[in-house]
Structures are given as structure tokens and as C-alpha cells.
Amino acid sequence: FNEDMSEAEITLLKASYQKEREAAKKNYIPHEPFDREKASEQFQKAFLYKQEHTKRILPGDILNRIADIRVYALDNASRQVIKAVTKFCEANEQSVNRTTKEYEKYYKEALKSLDSNVVKNINFHDCKIIEIKQSELSLSILFDNFGGFTDIDEMQFENYKIIKQDGFMQNSCWLYDEIYKSNGKYELQVLLRNENGLLIEFIVSAERISFKINNKA
């Protein structure tokens, strides 16, 4: 303690320290005592997994240079193998970066032909279709978006045409989608999963797509 501190300040400081100490005690998570058998079992599983993983990801010409895959799984290898693996990893990284840049370029070009608001609002992954409203000129899909990533609960298609529908869509879960512009219309391709776990492909084209938020808290 500082000699210039008053008794009241010292008392307050001690109380603060005691409070922090008690909080630290409550948050402390004790470690389990070392279990040699359990640790040995975990090591064995990890060791075998790494060997199999190495066999899957490395090309044959590199695997042929590895004298003992068990030694490699323990992070030991000859300089020749290390050099080959490093070169392989660098080539993979370059390929990923090149593919990412090409995709970004394609996406920017494709976005020019699409309404960015439409693209942005089609975000129904993990949403459940609860109702389909259909007339001659319009189609509406209503969602239960609880657990999804959007506040939108209705999507509407105007002057539409269903190109493909593999099964009954109500109560199915929205998994994946792609949208294109074809012959001046939007074409939305969707993959759904029904209550029985079966996949449904749904493709619809429309002149206009709009969205609604019906259930406001």
C-alpha cells in the first residue's frame, strides 16, 4: 500500500481485492487429474487420424518420398519431403487465391445484370416454408424464419413460371440457392430438404421478385 493512502482508501482497496478474489474463485475451472490411460488413448486416435489424413491429402509422388508415414505423423521428415510439402501447400494457396479473385470478378460482373436488392434479400438458408400462395400471375412463399438469417418472411414472384419442382414444398427447409438473369427474367434455383430428409429441387423464373416482413415484433 502507498504510505500516503488513508485508512478509508486502504479499507476500500482491500474490499475490492477480496471481491475480485472471490470472483476468481467462482470462475476457476479445476483441471481433471492426469489420466495416463485416457491420454494414451487420445494420442493413439490422433496419431492414426493424422496418418490417414496425410494419405488422403498428399499426392502420390510426395507420399512415395516418405519413408515411414508414422514418423511423418510425428512431425518429422527429411528435408526433401519438407521442401516438397511446402511447395505443394504454396501451390494450393495460390490456386485458392486465384479462384477467389476469379469468383469476385465474375460476381461483380454478374451483379450488373441483377438487382442488388434482390440478390441481397434472398437469404433464406435454414428457413422453413410454411405456406405457398399461388395464382395465375403471382406466387408467394411464406417462411418461418426463426433460426434463419433474415427478417423477411415472404417472397413474391410476379409473372412467374415454375420450371421444375421435385416435390411438395410446404414444411421443407431452404438449403441453397442460385439466381440468374435469363431472357430478361430472374431465374431462381433452390435446393430444399423436406420433413423426410429428401431433397427437392425448385426452379422458378419471374419478371419481378419482391419481399415482405409481415411479422413485426
Side-chain angles (χ1 to χ4, degrees):
F1 298 109
N2 191 318
E3 293 181 355
D4 296 330
M5 293 178 67
S6 65
E7 287 296 327
E9 288 174 325
I10 292 174
T11 301
L12 186 62
L13 188 60
K14 285 182 177 179
S16 176
Y17 167 76
Q18 188 64 27
K19 185 177 180 180
E20 291 179 4
R21 188 168 180 270
E22 292 301 320
K25 282 183 179 180
K26 290 180 181 179
N27 295 328
Y28 173 71
I29 301 175
H31 295 286
E32 293 182 6
F34 178 71
D35 186 328
R36 182 182 294 274
E37 185 175 342
K38 184 177 180 181
S40 178
E41 183 180 341
Q42 290 174 340
F43 172 81
Q44 181 69 6
K45 287 181 179 179
F47 183 54
L48 293 174
Y49 170 82
K50 191 168 183 179
Q51 291 179 56
E52 294 303 316
H53 182 65
T54 299
K55 292 176 184 177
R56 287 197 303 270
I57 65 171
L58 290 183
D61 61 321
I62 296 180
L63 288 173
N64 291 336
R65 300 181 194 182
I66 299 175
D68 191 332
I69 196 72
R70 296 170 298 177
V71 176
Y72 182 86
L74 294 171
D75 296 328
N76 285 296
S78 67
R79 184 173 298 178
Q80 182 186 29
V81 169
I82 293 173
K83 186 176 180 180
V85 172
T86 301
K87 188 175 180 180
F88 171 72
C89 293
E90 289 174 346
N92 281 346
E93 185 177 4
Q94 290 171 5
S95 177
V96 170
N97 291 338
R98 184 168 58 251
T99 301
T100 301
K101 289 179 181 179
E102 289 174 356
Y103 170 77
E104 289 174 351
K105 182 179 178 181
Y106 164 79
Y107 183 78
K108 287 178 182 178
E109 289 298 318
L111 203 58
K112 292 178 182 178
S113 65
L114 298 168
D115 184 337
S116 60
N117 285 325
V118 170
V119 177
K120 179 182 68 175
N121 285 323
I122 298 177
N123 187 31
F124 300 108
H125 182 70
D126 285 345
C127 292
K128 183 179 180 181
I129 295 176
I130 56 174
E131 188 177 356
I132 304 289
K133 295 180 180 179
Q134 192 171 358
S135 69
E136 187 176 343
L137 296 177
S138 67
L139 170 71
S140 294
I141 301 177
L142 282 74
F143 298 96
D144 175 359
N145 54 26
F146 180 78
F149 304 90
T150 179
D151 292 329
I152 295 170
D153 51 28
E154 183 174 351
M155 177 166 52
Q156 298 176 321
F157 303 88
E158 295 180 17
N159 196 9
Y160 74 99
K161 178 183 178 182
I162 295 177
I163 300 172
K164 184 175 183 179
Q165 183 176 339
D166 286 341
F168 188 61
M169 294 169 54
Q170 191 161 327
N171 295 322
S172 61
C173 182
W174 190 288
L175 299 179
Y176 179 79
D177 57 70
E178 293 181 357
I179 187 166
Y180 305 90
K181 205 69 178 288
S182 177
N183 298 321
K185 291 187 176 183
Y186 293 104
E187 182 176 304
L188 179 64
Q189 301 182 7
V190 185
L191 186 65
L192 308 164
R193 184 179 62 236
N194 68 15
E195 293 177 297
N196 298 319
L198 300 177
L199 297 179
I200 299 171
E201 187 176 358
F202 173 65
I203 303 176
V204 59
S205 68
E207 283 189 1
R208 184 170 180 267
I209 301 176
S210 58
F211 307 89
K212 285 185 177 181
I213 300 176
N214 297 312
N215 299 322
K216 294 183 178 180

